[in-house]
Amino acid sequence: MTSHDRTLFAGLDIGGTTTQVVLCAEDLTVLDRAGTATPAADGGPAMVGKALGALAPLLERTPGRLVGVGAGAAGVVDSAAGRILVASDSFTGWAGFAVADAVEAALGVPAYLDNDVNAFLYGEVYGGAVRGESDVLGITLGTGVGGALWMGGALFAGPHGAAGEIGHIPGFGDLPCTCGGRGHLETLASGRSLCARYAERTGRRLTAREIAEAAGHGDGDALAVYRAAAGGIARAIVMTAGVVDVTTVVVGGGVSGAWPLLEPLVREALAAEPPVSGHPVRLVRAALGTDAIPVGAAARARRELSTGALVRAGCATSTSGVEPAGAASRQ
């Protein structure tokens, strides 16, 4: 088989600020990538159009045949229908937009949509830090805190798509959360909350990265803010392990850039309050960086197209298929 005959999958990560796109070989090796600003104020068609515009030159210079596209997007999504259900006020004309249909119409191949954290976990299981593992909690620490579950070798989204969303469970104090609730993990562990908690203690506004650097230079307030975040993350891990007995946790997102500071604090808290099983949970940092979401979205497309068992909007998809090495499907 020549390179012109090879199968290609594309992955899109449509975020509130930036959009990342990758073009992958059948084994999900990234052949090419690009990034662009997201026109979040211009509506769904403009956002998808910008992503496809970034993908176009990748397709032009990469020999092969595109067979499927996956997209990961912020917000609440209906992955079966390929549509955005709920979006933050950072977006205009995004809620209700049929992302998968728009991509299919433009490229003429099946397209699939996932929540960005689900796509992140797909990527890390199929080609990242937890490759081939069967029971994983994925956590993203960015502007907010996201979570997703991989159970028995498959993504477990739950009947309403909210499984694993540890960022918005209560029991972490009484601070108001951006979602309207109180005492959620996100009020301690998101990048935005780290900045707010540090400002409350010092009156100074620093970025999460600057706060981590200050902690490394002996700033007690900065260290206290990260210690509180780590304690919250550890409690969320223990709670999840007590309910579904996850064996591994993979952490990504911008705040994980402070991993040398964050990891020992989380491990310290886990040692003080271990899972009820008595077995330690493996804690790892995500390996794919900004590729995680688009590669995971491409992995979802590859998985769905592997059997073609479920029909969505006239396109064959499935709920089971190619598994990562070492993972046994129970779907």
Side-chain angles (χ1 to χ4, degrees):
M1 182 180 71
T2 68
S3 60
H4 291 275
D5 298 321
R6 68 182 169 185
T7 297
L8 302 176
F9 292 92
L12 317 178
D13 169 17
I14 305 174
T17 303
T18 61
T19 292
Q20 305 290 333
V21 303
V22 299
L23 195 59
C24 298
E26 192 166 11
D27 66 356
L28 300 179
T29 298
V30 176
L31 303 173
D32 207 349
R33 60 174 61 81
T36 187
T38 302
D42 296 336
M47 292 167 65
V48 169
K50 195 72 177 293
L52 295 178
L55 178 64
L58 275 59
L59 291 169
E60 290 173 1
R61 63 184 179 235
T62 306
R65 180 175 59 93
L66 183 69
V67 299
V69 181
V76 180
V77 310
D78 180 343
S79 60
R83 180 182 298 271
I84 304 293
L85 295 179
V86 180
S88 77
D89 57 9
S90 300
F91 298 90
T92 299
W94 193 227
F97 188 70
V99 176
D101 285 350
V103 174
E104 287 173 2
L107 297 178
V109 297
Y112 308 90
L113 176 68
D114 257 313
N115 167 273
D116 53 356
V117 186
N118 289 349
F120 157 80
L121 187 51
Y122 258 109
E124 291 296 330
V125 168
Y126 275 90
V130 290
R131 183 179 179 88
E133 297 205 27
S134 62
D135 298 282
V136 183
L137 169 65
I139 302 174
T140 55
L141 306 172
T143 304
V145 174
L149 282 172
W150 188 268
M151 302 299 299
L155 184 74
F156 177 71
H160 305 106
E165 286 291 356
I166 62 168
H168 294 284
I169 53 177
F172 298 86
D174 194 44
L175 292 166
C177 186
T178 56
C179 70
R182 300 188 74 89
H184 294 177
L185 175 61
E186 187 168 298
T187 66
L188 299 177
S190 72
R192 179 165 41 195
S193 294
L194 286 166
C195 299
R197 303 293 79 82
Y198 185 76
E200 288 168 358
R201 297 176 70 97
T202 67
R204 299 169 59 206
R205 299 294 303 187
L206 300 180
T207 67
R209 177 180 296 178
E210 290 169 339
I211 296 168
E213 292 172 352
H217 289 96
D219 184 327
D221 290 308
L223 181 58
V225 166
Y226 266 91
R227 187 178 295 278
I233 293 165
R235 283 196 61 220
I237 291 171
V238 169
M239 292 164 67
T240 306
V243 174
V244 295
D245 199 20
V246 291
T247 60
T248 304
V249 177
V250 58
V251 182
V255 174
S256 70
W259 195 242
L261 169 64
L262 194 60
E263 179 190 21
L265 294 175
V266 175
R267 291 191 184 279
E268 178 184 320
L270 285 172
E273 189 180 23
V276 67
S277 67
H279 293 277
V281 173
R282 191 167 84 92
L283 178 68
V284 296
R285 184 183 181 183
L288 296 182
T290 58
D291 280 349
I293 294 173
V295 168
R300 161 85 193 281
R302 187 187 73 168
R303 182 186 178 103
E304 298 289 4
L305 288 169
S306 64
T307 62
L310 175 70
V311 175
R312 182 196 64 74
C315 291
T317 69
S318 74
T319 55
S320 64
V322 179
E323 299 296 333
S329 174
R330 295 181 197 159
Q331 279 190 295

